[in-house]
């Protein structure tokens, strides 16, 4: 069975031509980036930010299970022992979290945009091969002439779209989640600053 998979893999590489290795590499990188973002964008507690802070004003009594809980835990520690500008301290403390929330978004969108173009390049290469076969009459001497060229053209186009479409959908869903988390991180800062300013829980 493994040998059959290897043979199929080699066949698709041969059919797709030199465009296939970059497309396969792009697929691997794309889904690695998506997996990283999916793990990094775990929110944790489903309650609102304000409700979590009200319920745990002195800090969480359990390990943070997501990015929002981690931010709240860090923010509460800073708020209890802050000296100086709390907003600036929270901005500095939350910067690594905000960086992780944004990480790989541009990479995902770049691969989604480039993959169809790489497939189109394979289409052009396949058409050139086809017309070369017609031009030098090798179509009649080589059974793979026009059929091989069209196959390469269609397969690389299909591969490019197969990479881009799921990446576009999943990447869009993750970016919406990231946008919500960025808003909630800003809410954590606002609530903690308001608590310190008023001297009472939000």
């Amino acid at each position: 069975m493994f040998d059959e998979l290897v043979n199929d893999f080699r066949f698709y590489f041969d059919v797709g031509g030199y465009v296939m290795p970059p497309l396969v590499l792009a697929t691997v990188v794309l889904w690695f980036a998506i997996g990283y973002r999916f793990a990094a964008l775990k929110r944790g507690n489903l309650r609102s930010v304000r409700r979590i802070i009200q319920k745990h004003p002195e800090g969480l009594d359990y390990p943070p299970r997501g990015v929002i809980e981690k931010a709240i835990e860090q923010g509460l520690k800073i708020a209890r022992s802050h000296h100086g500008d709390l907003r600036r301290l929270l901005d500095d403390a939350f910067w690594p979290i905000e960086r992780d929330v944004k990480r790989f978004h541009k990479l995902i969108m770049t691969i989604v945009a480039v993959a169809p173009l790489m497939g189109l390049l394979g289409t052009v290469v396949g058409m050139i091969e086809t017309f070369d076969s017609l031009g030098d009459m090798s179509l009649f001497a080589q059974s793979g002439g026009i059929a091989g060229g069209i196959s390469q053209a269609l397969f690389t186009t299909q591969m490019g779209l197969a990479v881009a479409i799921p990446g576009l959908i999943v990447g869009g869903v993750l970016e919406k989640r990231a946008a919500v988390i960025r808003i909630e991180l800003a809410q954590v800062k606002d609530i903690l600053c308001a608590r310190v300013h008023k001297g009472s829980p939000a």
Side-chain angles (χ1 to χ4, degrees), residues 24 59 105 112 117 131 177 197:
V24 172
H105 168 65
V112 165
L117 297 179
F131 289 122
R177 182 184 296 184
H197 179 70

Side-chain angles (χ1 to χ4, degrees), residues 73-90:
E73 178 71 10
Q74 289 184 1
L76 288 171
K77 288 180 180 179
I78 294 171
R80 288 196 302 268
S81 60
H82 85 285
H83 300 284
D85 187 352
L86 178 59
R87 172 72 65 171
R88 182 181 60 80
L89 294 174
L90 291 175

Side-chain angles (χ1 to χ4, degrees), residues 138-148:
S138 63
L139 174 64
F140 300 101
Q142 299 177 3
S143 60
I146 189 169

Side-chain angles (χ1 to χ4, degrees), residues 41 167-178:
L41 295 176
L168 180 63
I169 295 172
V170 179
V173 171
L174 291 176
E175 182 55 24
K176 287 183 179 179
R177 182 184 296 184

Side-chain angles (χ1 to χ4, degrees), residues 8-163:
D8 290 342
F9 194 71
R10 288 177 178 174
F11 170 75
Y12 289 129
F13 257 75
D14 291 340
V15 170
Y18 65 82
V19 176
M20 282 300 295
L23 275 175
V24 172
L25 178 61
T27 303
V28 173
V29 173
L30 173 66
W31 286 102
F32 170 80
I34 286 175
Y36 180 94
R37 292 209 84 198
F38 183 82
L41 295 176
K42 288 181 63 177
R43 185 185 186 278
N45 200 313
L46 297 180
R47 295 188 181 95
S48 68
V49 168
R50 186 177 299 275
R51 182 74 181 106
I52 297 173
I53 294 175
Q54 286 176 342
K55 188 172 182 180
H56 305 280
E58 300 302 322
L60 302 179
D61 53 6
Y62 55 87
R65 294 168 295 185
V67 62
I68 295 300
E69 291 181 344
K70 180 180 178 182
I72 290 174
E73 178 71 10
Q74 289 184 1
L76 288 171
K77 288 180 180 179
I78 294 171
R80 288 196 302 268
S81 60
H82 85 285
H83 300 284
D85 187 352
L86 178 59
R87 172 72 65 171
R88 182 181 60 80
L89 294 174
L90 291 175
D91 286 340
D92 292 341
F94 286 8
W95 181 80
I97 298 175
E98 294 169 347
R99 179 192 59 195
D100 285 342
V101 168
K102 297 177 182 178
R103 181 169 290 173
F104 292 141
H105 168 65
K106 290 184 179 179
L107 176 62
I108 291 172
M109 292 298 103
T110 299
I111 293 176
V112 165
V114 170
L117 297 179
M118 294 173 67
L120 180 60
L121 176 61
T123 299
V124 173
V125 171
M127 290 297 101
I128 291 174
E129 179 180 324
T130 301
F131 289 122
D132 283 345
S133 297
L134 291 173
D136 60 14
M137 300 301 290
S138 63
L139 174 64
F140 300 101
Q142 299 177 3
S143 60
I146 189 169
I150 293 176
S151 175
Q152 178 176 336
L154 296 178
F155 184 76
T156 54
T157 301
Q158 181 186 33
M159 182 67 178
L161 293 175
V163 172

